[in-house]
Amino acid sequence: MTILITGGAGYIGSHTCVELLNNGETIIVVDNFSNSKPEALNRVQQITGKTFRIYDADLLDKKQLREIFLENEDIDAVIHFAGLKAVGESVAVPLSYYRNNINGTLVLCEVMQEFTVKNLVFSSSATVYGATDQVPITENSPLGSTNPYGRTKVMIEQILGDIAFADPDWSIASLRYFNPVGAHESGLIGEDPHGIPNNLMPFISQVAVGKREELHIFGREYNTRDGTGVRDYIHVVDLAKGHLKALEKVTAMKGMDAYNLGTGKGLSVLEMVMAFENAANKTIPFRFTEPRPGDVAVCYADPSKAGSQLGWQAERGPEAMCKDTWRWQRNNPSGYDRKTLTVYKEKTPRHEPVEFFNS
Ligand code: NAD
Ligand code: WQD
């Protein structure tokens, strides 16, 4: 199959590119590199020994996206990762989030419709369940979100549902990720947040590598085993493999459906810190601070629908999550180091695809 991947240079996208290439699929990546670096795709090529087309393009640019579809007539399906994802930032600049995430998806779907490509896998999030205290969370839990980022995901799911209802040729899987962590076992690709990490795992690993002094644990009086927040951490490689299963589903079925991708097991912040300390053989200094506004005490998935309907389940536990994160962080203390960044200039005509080769 030929799969177009929006946001393929990002954290989850790059790991999914690896799994798709290893599975013998042809991929085409579209990314504007607003939150990623081209080097990530260089590394994907290094891991798999395969090349693929990369377009430095913005989903909001419909003309450019149409040209990409014109040049690649054989696209069977799209995996749509591209979007902005920082909860706090979305509260500060909601318009950017609505424009990028909603309009980007609208433009993508319009172009897909025009070119009769109607198989789509969408990156949704457990954030669509809002501040529910009912766990484990099934796909039938009520939707609603507490911040603009989460609302873009809820709205996009509604838009996709309407598209699939209006035209029964569409086939759409919305994958609701819980807390993606970890890295590819090669240590070549992983999460590379800009600035101070918002999420727990990259913060812990930056403390371990000496980039940050100590972890702040947000809250110690939650109604949980040890008083700290509990989440369903899912290894990014397991998550990536879930996309291959979802692709099988969308190419075989019609309509739209949503699936939780999580392990079904909750781990507390302190349990994650301990797992990381064991994996890295390091002490992670931390101190307790106030709870973070908007955080819930406990959140974990009921992943049984993905098990029964996609044939997918998570295989990797906290040890692999932490070991792989640590290997990536230790090998790449500055992430995709700017010094090794490879800049791929667009040629004339402007949208000629660029093949990646190892530099
Ligand atoms: P990421 O930021 O690493 O990757 C997103 C990619 O999309 C980046 O490479 C970015 O440059 C690109 N992009 C953004 N807007 C674009 C646009 N208009 N045109 C072209 N490219 C654009 O994020 P990620 O962690 O890999 O997340 C991928 C998807 O999964 C996102 O939609 C995110 O909301 C969703 N998600 C992520 C998490 C998480 O914790 N990482 C959890 C649940 C859902
Ligand atoms: C996990 C736990 C924190 C950082 C977020 C988004 C969600 C989804 C996944 C995109 C919580 C605690 C964290 C720190 C801490 N993303 N923590 N110190 O909040 O469950 O989910 O990422 O869709 O939408 O909201 O993940 O990693 O930020 O937090 O104590 O420095 O770690 O309080 O209990 P979260 P997280």
Side-chain angles (χ1 to χ4, degrees):
M1 276 199 292
T2 299
I3 321 293
L4 183 129
I5 304 171
T6 76
Y11 172 45
I12 305 168
S14 55
H15 288 81
T16 306
C17 288
V18 167
E19 296 306 316
L20 288 165
L21 290 166
N22 284 344
N23 201 43
E25 315 296 348
T26 300
I27 65 167
I28 300 157
V29 169
V30 176
D31 204 302
N32 66 0
F33 301 107
S34 58
N35 196 39
S36 55
K37 308 215 176 76
E39 176 63 14
L41 294 172
N42 219 2
R43 305 270 182 101
V44 168
Q45 199 252 312
Q46 195 179 333
I47 292 167
T48 60
K50 293 181 180 165
T51 59
F52 49 90
R53 287 180 173 186
I54 294 148
Y55 291 89
D56 180 351
D58 195 312
L59 282 191
L60 297 176
D61 186 341
K62 189 170 185 180
K63 185 166 171 282
Q64 200 172 5
L65 198 60
R66 285 190 78 255
E67 284 175 27
I68 294 168
F69 274 74
L70 275 171
E71 280 172 12
N72 297 279
E73 289 170 351
D74 51 351
I75 298 168
D76 298 296
V78 173
I79 307 182
H80 179 31
F81 292 104
L84 301 175
K85 64 163 182 178
V87 172
E89 186 184 61
S90 80
V91 175
V93 288
L95 281 173
S96 303
Y97 273 69
Y98 287 116
R99 175 167 290 281
N100 192 72
N101 294 4
I102 307 274
N103 282 13
T105 305
L106 290 178
V107 169
L108 174 68
C109 290
E110 283 167 357
V111 175
M112 288 175 68
Q113 176 124 311
E114 180 185 343
F115 288 86
T116 339
V117 178
K118 296 182 179 178
N119 296 322
L120 175 66
V121 176
F122 171 63
S123 293
S124 188
S125 167
T127 195
V128 297
Y129 298 118
T132 179
D133 52 5
Q134 296 287 312
V135 285
I137 300 175
T138 72
E139 289 81 356
N140 295 327
S141 303
L143 301 190
S145 198
T146 54
N147 57 76
Y149 163 70
R151 280 190 274 277
T152 69
K153 294 294 181 192
V154 174
M155 287 178 196
I156 292 169
E157 285 205 0
Q158 288 164 340
I159 291 167
L160 297 179
D162 289 341
I163 293 172
F165 180 76
D167 177 353
D169 283 342
W170 276 84
S171 179
I172 303 172
S174 186
L175 303 182
R176 296 174 180 163
Y177 315 150
F178 278 66
N179 288 58
V181 295
H184 190 262
E185 63 176 8
S186 63
L188 285 168
I189 56 173
E191 189 169 9
D192 182 17
H194 283 171
I196 302 169
N198 298 309
N199 299 113
L200 179 66
M201 192 59 133
F203 206 106
I204 293 178
S205 63
Q206 290 197 5
V207 172
V209 85
K211 279 182 81 171
R212 315 221 166 255
E213 246 173 57
E214 61 179 6
L215 171 71
H216 293 182
I217 297 184
F218 303 144
R220 62 187 307 181
E221 287 175 13
Y222 286 112
N223 185 18
T224 60
R225 285 187 289 276
D226 56 26
T228 65
V230 166
R231 296 290 183 275
D232 187 340
Y233 298 95
I234 164 96
H235 195 296
V236 66
V237 172
D238 281 335
L239 200 59
K241 288 177 186 290
H243 293 73
L244 274 68
K245 294 290 187 186
L247 273 178
E248 282 175 25
K249 185 79 173 175
V250 295
T251 48
M253 309 277 290
K254 300 289 179 203
M256 177 178 170
D257 220 337
Y259 304 92
N260 286 344
L261 296 189
T263 62
K265 296 185 190 82
L267 289 168
S268 75
V269 176
L270 282 173
E271 286 166 342
M272 283 305 274
V273 170
M274 276 187 279
F276 199 96
E277 287 184 332
N278 287 335
N281 200 18
K282 289 231 164 209
T283 300
I284 306 295
F286 65 81
R287 74 183 155 97
F288 292 103
T289 61
E290 288 300 301
R292 187 170 59 181
D295 273 1
V296 293
V298 180
C299 173
Y300 59 89
D302 175 347
S304 55
K305 184 174 173 188
S308 60
Q309 295 190 24
L310 302 181
W312 173 89
Q313 66 178 35
E315 287 169 359
R316 292 158 180 77
E319 195 185 334
M321 295 176 198
C322 295
K323 277 210 154 98
D324 292 338
T325 302
W326 177 232
R327 191 181 302 108
W328 152 254
Q329 185 72 72
R330 198 188 45 203
N331 292 354
N332 306 271
S334 305
Y336 297 110
D337 187 356
R338 282 169 200 286
K339 275 180 291 201
T340 62
L341 189 142
T342 320
V343 178
Y344 294 87
K345 292 273 181 225
E346 284 172 314
K347 297 175 193 156
T348 311
R350 197 165 159 246
H351 307 304
E352 187 171 324
V354 181
E355 301 282 350
F356 264 51
F357 298 96
N358 275 336
S359 50

